[in-house]
């Protein structure tokens, strides 16, 4: 199989020296890539700036990703030829439009008008102001585009929440699976993830759930269940 | 000598899954640490999350830094016993107070009132709003605290600008040196830094300047000039 794995967290620049980062080590994506390679598959690894990367391998291609735009470009090029897409990357929901001194704005300036403001972005914002504000805009939802580019590919989406009940996690995850037309969703909670443990549920289209306890178990389950889904 | 080297870029959390990062690889800090170790000195390496780190060594202690608060804590503990402080870390000037939906605020809400707003921060901000805003507050200037903790230590400050004239760079750098009561400042421009080149000026208290072309040259000059400054 030809497998795309996106891994790590995107970074959206504020200026040339700072940005908004999504925290993700890429450890799970890296282990998953190794498991697919081990099983004899071809892997296209979309690697965010700080993501862990697998050792080089004949069947491995690594593509560097920075922000959401670069992710879309890579996915659009690679998804049509892929059999399986494991979209585990933590992607920025919002990206900066501008950053500006709060005190540079008139006292009665209405907050809703910020969207109409033309702010010339500096290469490096230097300021002595006590406060700054950043206006952010929503980014395109990459996960929802994938099935348009390749309806036959097996798509695995991921949902990470923080400190919610199991019921809420599973409900939110299933809704995301359906919205993205994904074949599977991996549901996990940051508070159930530590160095040696990674509690997760792998849920398929018919709500069949597999409970998993470690990154290695997750990687193995992804390989087995996507092979099964593709070849029947 | 006992040498503190801060390296890499700090991260200030927005919530549990995202933050504002300062881009810095820690390559120069790492090379500098290796040069001091090589010259027989003791190194305390304050390492930001993604910074490159030297190989372990008998005379090396590594302390993990996340945000400005953790940097202050480590500096306050280590600076009184240090002979030299090389503060090359890219430190966040601002940190998030809150992030909120723009559309959750009243239409005529004045932007200056944002500072009075009480926003309950989510563990993970989930939203479908088209725009969000982040309010940021200034962080304490760590570089200005160092000489208070140890007036006798040799302090090297760093100034990075982006795409300015040499004249502007040197003027801004000298002003920062004086404000921080630093013994040296390393002035550099991001547009003059690439993989194989790192143009910089090392300026001492009497405006003597050494022009440097690579990270290795910078590291060697730092060792030589701080040894000279301490021992005369």
């Amino acid at each position: 199989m030809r497998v795309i794995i996106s891994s790590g967290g995107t970074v959206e620049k504020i200026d040339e020296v700072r940005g908004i980062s999504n925290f993700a080590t890429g450890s799970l994506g890296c282990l998953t890539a190794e498991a697919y390679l081990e099983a004899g598959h071809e892997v296209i690894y979309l690697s965010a700036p700080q993501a862990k990367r697998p050792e080089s391998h004949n069947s491995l291609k690594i593509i560097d990703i920075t922000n959401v735009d670069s992710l879309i470009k890579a996915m659009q090029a690679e998804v049509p030829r892929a059999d399986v897409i494991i979209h585990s990357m933590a992607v920025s929901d919002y990206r900066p439009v501008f950053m500006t001194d709060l005190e540079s704005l008139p006292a009665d300036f209405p907050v809703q008008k910020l969207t109409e403001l033309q702010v010339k972005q500096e290469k490096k914002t230097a300021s002595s102001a006590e406060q700054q504000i950043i206006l952010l805009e929503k980014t395109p939802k990459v996960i929802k585009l994938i099935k348009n580019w390749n309806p036959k590919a097996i798509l695995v989406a991921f949902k990470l929440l923080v400190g919610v009940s199991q019921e809420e996690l599973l409900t939110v995850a299933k809704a995301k699976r359906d919205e993205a037309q994904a074949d599977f969703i991996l549901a996990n909670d940051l508070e159930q993830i530590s160095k040696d443990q990674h509690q997760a549920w792998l849920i398929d289209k018919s709500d069949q759930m597999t409970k998993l306890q470690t990154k290695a178990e997750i990687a193995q389950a992804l390989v087995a269940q996507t092979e099964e889904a593709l070849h029947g």
Side-chain angles (χ1 to χ4, degrees), chain A:
Chain A
M1 307 189 301
R2 200 176 161 86
V3 184
I4 296 174
I5 299 170
S6 69
S7 182
T10 56
V11 179
E12 297 286 341
K13 280 189 174 185
I14 297 169
D15 59 22
E16 292 305 309
V17 301
R18 53 180 88 95
I20 296 186
S21 306
N22 273 52
F23 306 143
T25 60
S27 303
L28 178 59
C30 183
L31 262 178
T32 304
E34 287 163 357
Y36 276 101
L37 290 168
E38 182 78 16
H41 303 295
E42 202 182 332
V43 172
I44 322 289
Y45 193 74
L46 307 187
S47 174
Q50 305 292 354
K52 271 190 201 157
R53 291 151 178 246
E55 296 287 305
S56 66
H57 187 289
N58 278 342
S59 303
L60 171 69
K61 177 166 109 178
I62 297 184
I63 300 177
D64 284 313
I65 301 298
T66 54
N67 60 8
V68 174
D69 280 346
S70 74
L71 176 63
I72 291 174
K73 212 175 136 195
M75 283 282 193
Q76 201 163 8
E78 296 292 338
V79 164
R81 292 178 297 145
D83 300 305
V84 174
I85 298 106
I86 311 283
H87 188 28
S88 63
M89 187 177 278
V91 181
S92 308
D93 295 325
Y94 291 88
R95 64 186 161 207
V97 181
F98 63 74
M99 174 166 170
T100 194
D101 282 11
L102 194 52
E103 58 197 44
S104 71
L105 301 169
D108 56 352
F109 192 88
V111 72
Q112 304 293 344
K113 292 258 178 194
L114 286 173
T115 57
E116 296 163 25
L117 209 60
Q118 299 290 326
V119 176
K120 191 180 159 286
Q121 227 23 56
E122 304 289 335
K123 286 176 178 174
K124 179 180 181 180
T125 316
S127 171
S128 57
E130 283 303 314
Q131 278 100 12
Q132 297 256 3
I133 46 171
I134 301 176
L135 177 70
L136 304 121
E137 64 179 8
K138 213 162 131 174
T139 56
K141 282 277 179 207
V142 181
I143 188 79
K144 290 192 194 171
L145 300 170
I146 292 174
K147 280 279 173 159
N148 299 340
W149 293 323
N150 186 345
K152 286 182 186 164
I154 303 296
L155 174 61
V156 184
F158 284 65
K159 187 73 204 179
L160 177 75
L161 291 178
V162 186
V164 301
S165 69
Q166 182 180 325
E167 195 188 344
E168 185 181 344
L169 175 62
L170 298 178
T171 305
V172 172
K174 286 175 191 171
K176 182 175 176 182
R177 174 199 60 194
D178 297 342
E179 252 190 310
Q181 300 173 262
D183 300 276
F184 297 92
I185 189 144
L186 191 103
N188 49 178
D189 187 310
L190 191 63
E191 293 182 358
Q192 308 299 328
I193 301 174
S194 60
K195 215 183 159 213
D196 302 317
Q197 186 206 298
H198 191 137
Q199 205 176 94
W201 285 265
L202 182 59
I203 313 170
D204 73 8
K205 272 198 285 200
S206 53
D207 286 352
Q208 290 269 11
M209 297 206 298
T210 313
K211 190 172 177 184
L212 304 156
Q213 300 288 357
T214 64
K215 288 183 173 52
E217 273 185 34
I218 296 170
Q220 291 306 331
L222 287 170
V223 174
Q225 296 201 26
T226 55
E227 280 176 345
E228 169 79 19
L230 195 73
H231 300 301

